[in-house]
Amino acid sequence: MLGIGLLGGAAAGTWLTGGSGGADARGGYTAARQMWHSTPVDTLFPPTLTGSGAGPGGADRVWTRVGVAPDAGCAGALDPLLLKVLQPVGCARLLRATYTDATSTAVTTVGLVFTEADADAMATLRTRFSDESLGDRDDLMPRPYAVKGTSAARFGDKQRASWTVRVLTDAPVVVYSVTGFADGRTVTDPQPADRALDEGAADAPVEAGLTYDAKGIADRVERALRKTAATGTKKPS
């Protein structure tokens, strides 16, 4: 079961009203914070994501959603240390979905942490992530969302191979993704997606395309979020 707002939006295919979300002098933060229950699940996490040229060597990638977690708080869903790092901005709601690639050999969980922060607090957190390279620390890797009866059924903490964490400043949201092998194999040397791709690493997660999946899926979900936040939760005509 999904949260009431997400499930209703996905089933009806319409925008929900979901709260006041009035004008905000700092770029619509109030309205953006309401998106977790005012936006259809298929808008935030499309059933299929297409990545033209997003794979190794510029290969095309296609990812299919295999499950959406019930909307929840962050406790238990995020590693305690990552939760501590995000504590200054708070956690209003966490939304997660898991995707698989076209061959069902890689699985990726993508998450949206809707925070309680204003623009200044989000900017401060983003600066900290940059200055302290927090996005490269494997002890701050996000946790996966395993989906029973799918290729992601064995996707646990020990299967995490690559990840990315992005702190947005134009919306009160932290976007993350974490990728692993669908066969349940343990990964001993996970690689941060952005750094590994920038440095041209040749580790197993890179060669298998997992770093590309982590980055590609996060990119596309982030774009969908930004587009929806920019246009507002208006009911289609």
Side-chain angles (χ1 to χ4, degrees):
M1 294 292 291
L2 305 179
I4 294 174
L6 282 172
L7 180 60
T14 59
W15 299 98
L16 305 180
T17 55
S20 58
D24 191 299
R26 299 306 300 269
Y29 263 47
T30 301
R33 190 171 289 111
Q34 304 303 315
M35 287 173 57
W36 71 266
H37 66 78
S38 64
T39 307
V41 64
D42 286 354
T43 299
L44 293 176
F45 301 125
T48 301
L49 295 171
T50 302
S52 299
D60 295 339
R61 304 290 267 191
V62 176
W63 303 283
T64 302
R65 193 183 71 201
V66 297
V68 180
D71 62 85
C74 289
L78 295 181
D79 182 88
L81 188 56
L82 178 57
L83 191 62
K84 183 177 180 179
V85 170
L86 298 181
Q87 187 175 11
V89 297
C91 174
R93 216 66 179 173
L94 171 63
L95 307 182
R96 297 173 292 163
T98 296
Y99 289 80
T100 186
D101 69 340
T103 64
S104 295
T105 58
V107 286
T108 302
T109 293
V110 59
L112 300 172
V113 179
F114 287 82
T115 77
E116 301 167 344
D118 59 15
D120 290 338
M122 293 298 291
T124 297
L125 181 63
R126 181 167 181 170
T127 297
R128 184 185 176 194
F129 261 78
S130 176
D131 290 349
E132 301 179 25
S133 298
L134 298 184
D136 295 340
R137 286 178 44 172
D138 60 11
D139 58 348
L140 295 177
M141 265 195 299
R143 286 178 170 168
Y145 170 58
V147 186
K148 294 181 180 180
T150 73
S151 55
R154 292 185 287 176
F155 191 20
D157 287 353
K158 293 182 178 180
Q159 286 67 47
R160 293 176 293 181
S162 189
W163 77 98
T164 183
V165 179
R166 293 99 174 267
V167 180
L168 306 188
T169 55
D170 52 352
V173 180
V174 176
V175 181
Y176 70 80
S177 67
V178 57
T179 300
F181 293 102
D183 61 9
R185 77 183 74 173
T186 297
V187 178
T188 58
D189 188 24
Q191 297 293 315
D194 297 323
R195 188 185 71 187
L197 293 176
D198 288 344
E199 296 178 355
D203 301 86
V206 179
E207 292 185 344
L210 301 189
T211 49
Y212 293 88
D213 289 347
K215 183 179 186 302
I217 290 176
D219 284 348
R220 281 146 187 82
V221 169
E222 180 181 333
R223 289 172 196 165
L225 175 80
R226 289 179 185 276
K227 182 178 179 180
T228 303
T231 57
T233 53
K234 296 179 180 179
K235 185 178 295 186
S237 58

